């Protein structure tokens, strides 16, 4: 696979994932939608592991990593899917765009990494101001919009915490094996959550759009997306990877407005702009190196 193709593929998948999450949750119920997605992803990962004969570590350290990654995935995705019922899909991408900032804070506190330079702290402050603006004004159409925003923010924070914890363990294993082990832990949790929330009743009349979104997320959002991500970070520098977190919120917002008729109030756009400015400032050093070396991706 070529690096440019993988790069473009990541942008397309990350841009469409929030809208697919919302469509699947609205048309099939949030707990069933995320459970079905993860079961599809797990089945495909197991098939790929067997077909490609990739080693699957099962040492105590590997089991610990799978448990941490799987549980953080479970909490993060369950919160995100519920929140997607109450807020515009594009806003999900904007909130998850904060993930590099939150990951940097956790890495500085937990791994003693010197990531919080003055310019990065300024970027973090701008992004938090934008998030405050998003929280601090009424959103139209749903009385639980504020709770939905809080759920997605909590899901994003949990994902960032899981990433830093995994990095702290520093286990050498293939990305497919890590993804499979994580899904193996998360999938039973999603099944349990579905049993508790929906009393094991399959949703009546799943729409074609919701079913297609679940399959799309199970194959592309889970398996292909993770594979492309690990492939890209192995072959590109931080500046080019950072660009993805700047591009996908914009494209996701445009998709939400075009395909889902989403409307975002003025203060919401101001908050989104502040978050984008903060993220750009946070990643400025990497982006500056990219501008200095403007060779092809």
């Amino acid at each position: 696979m070529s690096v440019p193709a993988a790069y473009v593929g990541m942008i397309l998948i990350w841009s469409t994932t929030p809208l697919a999450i919302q469509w699947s949750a609205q048309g099939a119920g949030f707990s069933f939608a995320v459970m079905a997605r993860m079961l599809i992803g797990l089945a495909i990962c197991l098939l790929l592991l067997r077909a490609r004969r990739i080693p699957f570590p099962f040492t105590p350290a590997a089991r610990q990593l799978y448990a941490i990654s799987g549980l953080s995935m479970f909490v993060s995705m369950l919160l995100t899917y519920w929140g997607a019922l109450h807020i515009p899909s594009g806003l999900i991408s904007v909130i998850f765009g904060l993930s590099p900032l939150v990951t940097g804070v956790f890495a500085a506190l937990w791994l003693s990494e010197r990531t919080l330079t003055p310019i990065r702290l300024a970027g973090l402050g701008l992004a938090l101001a934008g998030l405050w603006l998003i929280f601090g004004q009424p959103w139209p159409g749903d009385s639980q919009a504020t709770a939905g925003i809080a759920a997605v923010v909590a899901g994003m924070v949990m994902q960032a915490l899981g990433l830093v914890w995994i990095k702290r363990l520093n286990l050498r294993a293939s990305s497919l094996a890590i993804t499979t082990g994580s899904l193996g832990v998360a999938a039973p949790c999603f099944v349990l959550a579905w049993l508790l929330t929906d009393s094991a009743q399959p949703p009546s009349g799943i729409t074609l759009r919701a079913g297609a979104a679940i399959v799309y997320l199970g194959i592309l959002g889970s398996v292909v997306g993770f594979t492309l991500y690990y492939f890209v970070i192995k072959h590109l520098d931080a500046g080019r990877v950072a660009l993805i977190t700047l591009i996908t919120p914009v494209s996701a917002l445009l998709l939400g407005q075009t395909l889902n008729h989403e409307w975002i109030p003025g203060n919401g756009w101001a908050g989104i702009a502040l978050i984008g400015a903060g993220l750009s400032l946070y990643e400025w050093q990497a982006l500056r190196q990219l501008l200095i070396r403007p060779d092809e991706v």
Side-chain angles (χ1 to χ4, degrees), residues 42-67:
L42 177 59
I44 294 173
C45 284
L46 290 171
L47 288 173
L48 288 175
L49 273 182
R50 183 176 180 84
R52 297 173 60 184
R53 297 181 180 178
I54 295 175
F56 182 74
F58 205 65
T59 62
R63 293 197 297 270
Q64 183 183 13
L65 184 144
Y66 302 150

Side-chain angles (χ1 to χ4, degrees), residues 7 22 31 40 43 46 57 67 95 97 99 105 126-127 146 153 177 208 223 233 238 245 247 264 267 279 295:
Y7 193 88
Q22 188 174 78
S31 61
I40 292 171
L46 290 171
I95 293 173
S99 183
V105 171
L126 272 180
T146 300
V153 170
L208 178 61
V223 182
I233 62 176
T245 61
I247 294 170
I264 294 177
N267 284 351
L279 185 58
D295 45 291

Side-chain angles (χ1 to χ4, degrees), residues 18-45:
L19 187 56
I21 286 175
Q22 188 174 78
W23 282 355
S24 65
Q26 288 176 342
F30 80 96
S31 61
F32 180 85
V34 66
M35 176 194 70
R37 170 189 176 176
M38 297 305 169
L39 289 175
I40 292 171
L42 177 59
I44 294 173
C45 284

Side-chain angles (χ1 to χ4, degrees), residues 4-244:
Y7 193 88
V8 172
M10 272 192 66
I11 292 175
L12 291 174
I13 291 172
W14 286 15
S15 299
T16 53
T17 292
L19 187 56
I21 286 175
Q22 188 174 78
W23 282 355
S24 65
Q26 288 176 342
F30 80 96
S31 61
F32 180 85
V34 66
M35 176 194 70
R37 170 189 176 176
M38 297 305 169
L39 289 175
I40 292 171
L42 177 59
I44 294 173
C45 284
L46 290 171
L47 288 173
L48 288 175
L49 273 182
R50 183 176 180 84
R52 297 173 60 184
R53 297 181 180 178
I54 295 175
F56 182 74
F58 205 65
T59 62
R63 293 197 297 270
Q64 183 183 13
L65 184 144
Y66 302 150
I68 292 167
S69 178
L71 291 175
S72 65
M73 179 190 299
F74 166 68
V75 176
S76 174
M77 286 294 98
L78 199 66
L79 288 170
T80 301
Y81 269 71
W82 183 85
L85 294 172
H86 306 289
I87 65 175
S89 64
L91 189 56
I92 299 172
S93 184
V94 172
I95 293 173
F96 270 84
L98 290 167
S99 183
L101 287 74
V102 178
T103 301
V105 171
F106 283 141
L109 296 175
W110 201 357
L111 305 180
S112 300
E113 293 184 0
R114 297 182 178 180
T115 56
L116 297 181
T117 61
I119 192 170
R120 284 194 154 190
L121 286 172
L124 181 61
L126 272 180
L128 290 176
L131 193 61
W132 177 82
L133 264 182
I134 288 173
F135 268 109
Q137 48 88 45
W139 287 80
D142 197 314
S143 60
Q144 297 191 71
T146 300
I149 294 171
V152 176
V153 170
M156 177 272 297
V157 171
M158 181 58 64
Q159 182 192 68
L161 179 61
L163 287 173
V164 174
W165 202 339
I166 289 170
K167 185 176 180 181
R168 189 168 184 257
L169 294 176
N170 196 27
L171 176 74
R172 293 185 178 274
S174 74
S175 57
L176 184 59
I178 293 174
T179 303
T180 305
S182 302
L183 287 171
V185 171
C189 297
F190 285 115
V191 173
L192 180 60
W194 173 61
L195 293 174
L196 292 175
T197 56
D198 291 335
S199 301
Q201 294 296 321
S204 58
I206 299 177
T207 63
L208 178 61
R209 187 176 73 173
I214 290 171
V215 174
Y216 173 83
L217 290 169
I219 298 173
L220 293 176
S222 296
V223 182
V224 178
F226 279 118
T227 303
L228 292 181
Y229 174 71
Y230 286 115
F231 180 80
V232 165
I233 62 176
K234 286 179 181 178
H235 291 85
L236 295 180
D237 56 60
R240 289 179 173 85
V241 177
L243 274 179
I244 297 176

